[in-house]
Amino acid sequence: MSDWPDGRSDRQSGGDRGGYGRGSGSARPEGARAMRQVRRPVPQQQQQPAYDDGYGGNGGNGYDSGYNTGQVYGQPGSRAGGGGGDDYGPPSGRPARTPNWRKRIKWTAITVVTVLVVTSVVTYFWADSKLNRDVDLAKVIDRPEAGDGTNYLIVGTDSREGMSAEEKKKLHTGSAEGKRTDTMMILHTGSNGDTLVSLPRDSNVTIPSFKGAESGKLYPNTGRQTKLNAAYAEDGPELLVRTVEYNTGLHIDHYAEIGFGGFAGIVDAVGGVEMNLKEGFKDKWSGADFKAGKQTLDGQQALAYVRTRHAFAASDLQRTKNQQAFLAALAHKVSSPSTLMNPFKLYPTLGSGLDSLVVDKDMSLWNLASMFMSMKSVSGGDGKSMNMPVSGSTGGNLLWDKAKVKQLVEQFNNDEKVTVSGN
């Protein structure tokens, strides 16, 4: 017996208005029904973890290509694995590795220290190779015993070696052959402060017996009296050291000398040196033309400043004071962080200075650095600067005060605080 009356449809019977064909109100023809997806159960031992292709899958057992939602990998809100949130991960779903900042800082520090050490070592050997160790103090005879502390003889000469005619004209050096000493100083360094003593070039001294630096010939002491700078002109640095030691009784440990061109080059390399002049002065011989007050001297001006003597009533004594003040200021500028930490200043300064600096064979870079630092301490007020004590003159030559000179040398040899005063 049929359940569907003839000629009637479900529409006519008031059944489901969305139905198809005959039958109950909820029945649909098989061909029009949406076929439900059928899964076969997978045995427990064969089940695999859910497959996540990183394109927005829900992390379950089903496969979703991600195109039905319009999601695109890598856009905010579509993290790998189908979850929400703003974090991004690699397609595998593994979390991004956190940078190890401690390790990075450690290796950066190691790299920086290595570079600094290598640069320092290379700079040291480069600078050491440029030192002109031409003075042999072993040739000096009959030397006094060394005392405590270290004594440097610092000499500035009028050497024009390597200078062009234009440079000689610009620096007002003239064209005299050979070289003479314009500046002579003893720098004593020790545990009781540093002392810088200028030796006036016109100082009256006795030329002692000596052995020729080049000939090796022995010259006896004839009691000859002359100006101190004549000793250098006669037989160079070795005779100058011998003469200073003989007339003072002080042992000289190291010798350093620089000429006109090198001096001006160092000043220019550090960008000039600031000086505060109490009064202005002019001198046609040196080319000096200064006004009172603070001013930065370049190489040409600095050379004129330290060479001027005709503009002063005290002549050479005033010049030595100016030389002390300037050299101390120069040492302070050379050893300042603005020079040492700036390779564009440091290397030109070292190059200019070392190329024109003449030292003794036993002078090391450490000794040289110590000398400059001691000069800096003198300029900073921790040390003392003075002229060699003078008692009078012979008209053209200055006579040293022998009693004060002896006391000064004793204080140097015993490394005591200097109480002697100079001119």
Side-chain angles (χ1 to χ4, degrees):
M1 181 175 178
S2 174
D3 291 335
W4 292 346
D6 292 337
R8 292 188 62 183
S9 68
D10 57 343
R11 294 179 183 226
Q12 292 172 333
S13 63
D16 183 1
R17 295 181 180 274
Y20 291 88
R22 301 174 183 177
S24 65
S26 62
R28 293 184 182 180
E30 289 294 328
R33 292 180 183 174
M35 298 298 293
R36 183 174 298 176
Q37 194 173 22
V38 179
R39 292 183 183 273
R40 292 182 179 182
V42 181
Q44 185 68 26
Q45 65 272 19
Q46 297 181 6
Q47 288 185 5
Q48 301 293 330
Y51 174 77
D52 183 357
D53 63 352
Y55 291 92
N58 59 7
N61 293 330
Y63 173 80
D64 187 351
S65 66
Y67 291 102
N68 60 334
T69 63
Q71 293 177 344
V72 180
Y73 176 76
Q75 295 298 323
S78 61
R79 84 180 188 190
D86 295 332
D87 54 328
Y88 306 95
S92 63
R94 290 178 297 177
R97 182 176 296 176
T98 303
N100 190 334
W101 290 108
R102 287 187 177 181
K103 183 178 291 187
R104 291 188 180 184
I105 293 173
K106 172 185 175 182
W107 283 107
T108 300
I110 291 175
T111 301
V112 170
V113 170
T114 302
V115 170
L116 288 176
V117 170
V118 171
T119 302
S120 299
V121 171
V122 171
T123 299
Y124 178 88
F125 284 104
W126 167 78
D128 189 73
S129 67
K130 294 178 75 66
L131 271 180
N132 300 305
R133 296 183 173 93
D134 298 334
V135 179
D136 189 358
L137 296 183
K139 295 179 179 180
V140 180
I141 63 173
D142 298 333
R143 308 190 67 187
E145 292 185 5
D148 295 331
T150 304
N151 300 312
Y152 298 85
L153 181 60
I154 303 170
V155 175
T157 72
D158 62 1
S159 172
R160 300 155 180 84
E161 186 177 352
M163 296 174 62
S164 65
E166 183 179 351
E167 289 173 329
K168 292 177 183 177
K169 182 179 179 180
K170 176 183 177 182
L171 298 177
H172 295 268
T173 65
S175 299
E177 295 297 327
K179 57 182 180 179
R180 285 150 292 277
T181 52
D182 269 2
T183 305
M184 290 166 284
M185 300 178 179
I186 294 175
L187 174 66
H188 174 81
T189 65
S191 57
N192 282 293
D194 305 316
T195 304
L196 186 64
V197 182
S198 287
L199 310 177
R201 56 174 282 178
D202 294 337
S203 298
N204 190 79
V205 295
T206 299
I207 299 296
S209 59
F210 68 96
K211 183 182 292 186
E214 297 297 331
S215 65
K217 180 181 177 181
L218 182 64
Y219 295 88
N221 182 356
T222 62
R224 178 164 52 102
Q225 305 284 303
T226 186
K227 292 182 179 180
L228 180 59
N229 67 336
Y232 183 95
E234 185 172 334
D235 201 50
E238 288 84 2
L239 179 54
L240 178 61
V241 171
R242 167 71 174 136
T243 302
V244 169
E245 290 188 341
Y246 177 82
N247 284 270
T248 62
L250 183 69
H251 181 90
I252 299 298
D253 298 292
H254 292 292
Y255 177 92
E257 171 193 316
I258 193 167
F260 280 166
F263 177 79
I266 294 176
V267 175
D268 285 334
V270 297
V273 176
E274 185 179 272
M275 298 292 294
N276 188 8
L277 307 185
K278 294 182 179 179
E279 57 182 17
F281 58 88
K282 292 183 179 182
D283 180 18
K284 66 177 182 179
W285 302 101
S286 66
D289 186 3
F290 298 107
K291 296 181 179 179
K294 283 188 177 182
Q295 51 204 289
T296 298
L297 308 187
D298 60 19
Q300 177 184 349
Q301 294 170 320
L303 188 58
Y305 179 78
V306 299
R307 294 181 60 213
T308 298
R309 63 171 176 158
H310 296 288
F312 311 119
S315 187
D316 203 36
L317 291 177
Q318 181 59 47
R319 176 169 69 171
T320 56
K321 292 180 180 179
N322 290 347
Q323 291 170 349
Q324 289 176 351
F326 187 85
L327 290 179
L330 176 60
H332 190 277
K333 183 69 176 288
V334 169
S335 59
S336 67
S338 63
T339 299
L340 296 179
M341 302 302 291
N342 184 352
F344 297 103
K345 278 189 178 182
L346 176 62
Y347 287 101
T349 301
L350 288 175
S352 297
L354 296 174
D355 280 340
S356 55
L357 194 65
V358 178
V359 299
D360 65 272
K361 294 184 179 297
D362 294 327
M363 176 81 85
S364 67
L365 283 179
W366 176 260
N367 297 136
L368 194 61
S370 176
M371 183 184 79
F372 274 98
M373 294 304 294
S374 296
M375 294 183 70
K376 179 182 177 182
S377 74
V378 170
S379 68
D382 296 329
K384 181 177 182 177
S385 60
M386 56 183 285
N387 276 326
M388 183 65 82
V390 174
S391 60
S393 71
T394 62
N397 296 2
L398 296 172
L399 299 174
W400 291 351
D401 187 323
K402 293 183 178 180
K404 286 188 175 181
V405 170
K406 181 179 180 181
Q407 183 183 359
L408 176 65
V409 171
E410 288 178 351
Q411 291 177 343
F412 279 171
N413 285 333
N414 296 325
D415 197 19
E416 299 171 350
K417 185 176 180 61
V418 173
T419 58
V420 179
S421 60
N423 299 83

